[in-house]
Amino acid sequence: MNLKCVVIDDEQHAIEVLTDHIAEMPGLTVFKTFTSPVQALTEISVGDEIDLLFMDIDMPGINGLDLAKNIREKAKYLIFTTAHPDYALQAFDVQSDQYLLKPISFAKFALGIDRILKKEANNAKNSMKEADQVAALYIKGDHKYAFSNILIDDILYIRALQNYIQIITKTETNTTYLTLKEIEKALENHAFIRVNKSNIVAKAAIKKVDGNIIRLVNNEMIQIGEGYKEAFFAYIQSSLLKSGRS
């Protein structure tokens, strides 16, 4: 488990306290920090895939409660870090997962975050069980009682075409009335990655990457979309075999 953390606080000292605590907790890593809530608002994106967002409330320009309304969906968990206990009810309204009062000792931090880590560990176990159970997908065909059973390991990629999708496997192409978002959700526990607005690719089907072009094992080529480059190449880097020689 390696959960990405972002810290937003207008006081640098408060950021340093939290980053030190994060460094002490196994399974957490600091991804970005911001002293400006406006900068955080403009720079944080869904593609960052943030797990834990630590945020002060009383900040200049945009307070943490207003900021949370705009970026809450970009992080899995929201933890408010504040010296003011009277914001707790409002924090609940923006789906806060934890409310830590300053000064935040490591013991207080660890106890609060441990509950999230245990929840994540349980989710991971359940996801693995579900992935083991679901090795195939049934999709609807061209009439009421027509269905196709597609082995997930056989899927090379999926493309969106207007109001339906095509699932391209090693042996055939299946067309069904679904959105790309729906099939992406169905495959979220499997090794697939979205590479542009219209295509999801099986990681195992990637034969070569050359610049912005992916060549698949069936020699079809797909271009990486501008908004998907960062996440795609982060995946490549995480899987890259590197030499330890200097």
Side-chain angles (χ1 to χ4, degrees):
M1 188 188 304
N2 189 21
L3 304 182
K4 293 165 67 174
C5 302
V6 168
V7 182
I8 307 171
D9 198 305
D10 61 308
E11 296 181 356
Q12 184 61 38
H13 171 69
I15 289 178
E16 290 170 0
V17 168
L18 284 174
T19 54
D20 286 346
H21 290 347
I22 290 168
E24 290 293 317
M25 287 288 289
L28 301 186
T29 184
V30 177
F31 176 59
K32 288 180 181 178
T33 64
F34 298 92
T35 54
S36 166
V38 176
Q39 184 183 5
L41 175 66
T42 57
E43 292 190 12
I44 292 175
S45 70
V46 175
D48 289 332
E49 297 183 338
I50 299 165
D51 294 298
L52 278 72
L53 177 58
F54 296 90
M55 190 190 306
D56 189 16
I57 292 180
D58 190 12
M59 296 186 290
I62 304 175
N63 69 48
L65 294 168
D66 289 334
L67 183 58
K69 293 173 185 176
N70 289 277
I71 64 172
R72 176 64 185 90
E73 63 182 9
K74 299 174 184 178
K76 190 178 292 185
Y77 298 100
L78 171 62
I79 301 98
F80 278 119
T81 57
T82 177
H84 304 284
D86 46 331
Y87 290 124
L89 186 59
Q90 292 162 281
F92 178 78
D93 289 338
V94 290
Q95 299 177 318
S96 169
D97 295 282
Q98 293 283 334
Y99 193 90
L100 301 179
L101 286 173
K102 297 177 180 179
I104 302 171
S105 66
F106 179 70
K108 185 189 295 183
F109 177 87
L111 288 171
I113 301 308
D114 184 60
R115 289 194 285 270
I116 291 176
L117 292 176
K118 286 177 179 175
K119 182 177 179 180
E120 278 296 293
N122 287 332
N123 289 343
K125 288 179 182 177
N126 291 335
S127 294
M128 289 176 66
K129 289 178 182 177
E130 289 175 9
D132 288 341
Q133 292 170 358
V134 182
L137 295 172
Y138 278 95
I139 62 169
K140 199 172 184 314
D142 55 3
H143 63 83
K144 185 175 180 180
Y145 297 107
F147 303 93
S148 296
N149 186 22
I150 300 174
L151 293 178
I152 291 174
D153 287 346
D154 285 348
I155 298 173
L156 301 180
Y157 71 100
I158 300 148
R159 65 183 169 213
L161 296 170
Q162 295 180 342
N163 60 349
Y164 58 94
I165 62 167
Q166 287 185 325
I167 301 174
I168 294 85
T169 72
K170 296 173 183 177
T171 58
E172 61 185 356
T173 296
N174 292 272
T175 301
T176 189
Y177 188 77
L178 286 170
T179 65
L180 205 62
K181 189 173 183 178
E182 287 169 335
I183 193 71
E184 186 176 28
K185 175 68 176 176
L187 295 171
E188 65 181 354
N189 295 320
H190 299 273
F192 289 82
I193 186 166
R194 182 83 167 263
V195 297
N196 58 42
K197 290 182 179 179
S198 303
N199 293 101
I200 298 170
V201 172
K203 293 176 180 178
I206 298 172
K207 182 178 181 181
K208 186 177 181 181
V209 180
D210 189 357
N212 295 332
I213 302 298
I214 300 169
R215 183 184 292 274
L216 302 179
V217 292
N218 64 349
N219 287 322
E220 287 195 52
M221 291 183 287
I222 298 175
Q223 185 168 344
I224 304 167
E226 192 65 34
Y228 299 84
K229 286 181 182 178
E230 186 177 350
F232 179 80
F233 285 109
Y235 155 67
I236 294 295
Q237 285 294 325
S238 70
S239 304
L240 186 64
L241 185 62
K242 300 175 183 177
S243 172
R245 294 175 293 180
S246 56

